[in-house]
Amino acid sequence: MMNNKQQDMVNLLQEIYDSEGDYFGIDHFSRFLNELKKYDFGEMLACQAKYPLRYVLDFILSTESLWIKMSDIEWLKVMSLLNPRPKPFSIEIFDAGYVDIHFLCKYMGVNAIEMFLQQEVFSNEDKKKLLQYSRKVAGFLFINELELENLDGSYFVHKDELEKARSTLISTGTIKLLNYTEDEFREYIERELKIVSMLEE
């Protein structure tokens, strides 16, 4: 059973989702920012996992004041709230069940997959699902030129702000930069999948 605050959050997020169309990006989401600040960021992401991935990424990129100062520990809490994840073969690439991983890898340029794999709180099954999903969407975890152009501080958060947040995140040493080409990344995922599969035997 949801309490009143949770129900209010669900209603607000639904209203924001339904009203997108006249405005997009920061122009759209900033109109609701004061209301959004009342709620936990991780809970809001978990609540929006039913929406399309692109929409939820737009939500994150348009509301940087909600997460820009979040630590690795706070991002781990977000990961826990989104767990257990949907089975990667039963969802479309553009479903938002792994939006935190998608955002951290693609836009923050950090290895959220490695951080997830290092956590004992997540089961081998959780880790295998994440790796299978990452293999499925590997090409989408790298930012393209058009996406980079949108990080201008007007449509979405400015790329310089993302770089500052990235520096803060990696300063603790818990989470590392995602320093792979796409081919190297695919090889990395395959290696980790073998390790996790061996642990299951």
Side-chain angles (χ1 to χ4, degrees):
M1 284 285 289
M2 278 191 286
N3 61 36
N4 287 344
K5 186 173 183 182
Q6 287 169 322
Q7 188 60 59
D8 288 345
M9 178 185 74
V10 170
N11 293 344
L12 172 65
L13 294 171
Q14 187 66 50
E15 179 192 346
I16 298 171
Y17 178 71
D18 290 340
S19 64
E20 192 189 38
D22 295 332
Y23 299 92
F24 295 94
I26 289 171
D27 282 350
H28 174 61
F29 292 99
S30 63
R31 296 180 299 144
F32 303 94
L33 207 49
N34 285 337
E35 285 296 304
L36 289 167
K37 285 176 180 173
K38 297 176 185 175
Y39 305 106
D40 178 79
F41 181 70
E43 287 179 11
M44 286 193 285
L45 284 195
C47 181
Q48 294 182 94
K50 61 186 177 182
Y51 299 143
L53 174 64
R54 182 66 262 170
Y55 171 82
V56 188
L57 287 172
D58 288 2
F59 169 83
I60 300 171
L61 293 168
S62 302
T63 57
E64 72 269 19
S65 61
L66 301 179
W67 54 264
I68 202 85
K69 293 181 178 174
M70 277 172 52
S71 66
D72 50 348
I73 304 297
E74 289 169 307
W75 277 110
L76 278 173
K77 185 186 167 199
V78 172
M79 290 178 181
S80 295
L81 285 166
L82 279 158
N83 230 50
R85 315 280 174 151
K87 289 182 179 173
F89 302 117
S90 65
I91 66 168
E92 294 299 318
I93 285 174
F94 301 110
D95 287 349
Y98 295 80
V99 65
D100 52 332
I101 305 296
H102 214 100
F103 170 73
L104 287 168
C105 290
K106 180 171 189 152
Y107 288 100
M108 292 289 280
V110 297
N111 196 341
I113 295 161
E114 181 185 46
M115 186 164 81
F116 188 95
L117 296 176
Q118 289 172 345
Q119 307 308 312
E120 291 182 7
V121 68
F122 301 129
S123 69
N124 271 345
E125 186 188 355
D126 293 333
K127 292 171 184 177
K128 192 172 183 179
K129 282 198 291 189
L130 171 62
L131 288 164
Q132 288 169 334
Y133 173 80
S134 301
R135 178 167 65 183
K136 185 176 178 179
V137 303
F140 296 98
L141 294 178
F142 291 83
I143 198 161
N144 64 38
E145 284 302 313
L146 179 61
E147 290 163 333
L148 202 54
E149 281 176 23
N150 284 334
L151 302 176
D152 59 1
S154 178
Y155 191 78
F156 289 142
V157 58
H158 198 284
K159 60 181 183 295
D160 292 351
E161 293 300 313
L162 288 176
E163 283 173 20
K164 282 186 215 164
R166 179 186 309 125
S167 296
T168 303
L169 259 188
I170 62 172
S171 65
T172 60
T174 311
I175 191 164
K176 298 180 178 70
L177 288 174
L178 192 66
N179 276 333
Y180 295 110
T181 64
E182 191 176 324
D183 286 343
E184 288 169 343
F185 179 71
R186 289 179 190 278
E187 289 168 11
Y188 161 70
I189 296 299
E190 293 303 328
R191 284 197 306 273
E192 294 296 334
L193 258 173
K194 280 180 188 168
I195 294 166
V196 171
S197 298
M198 282 167 61
L199 290 171
E200 281 189 319
E201 291 172 4

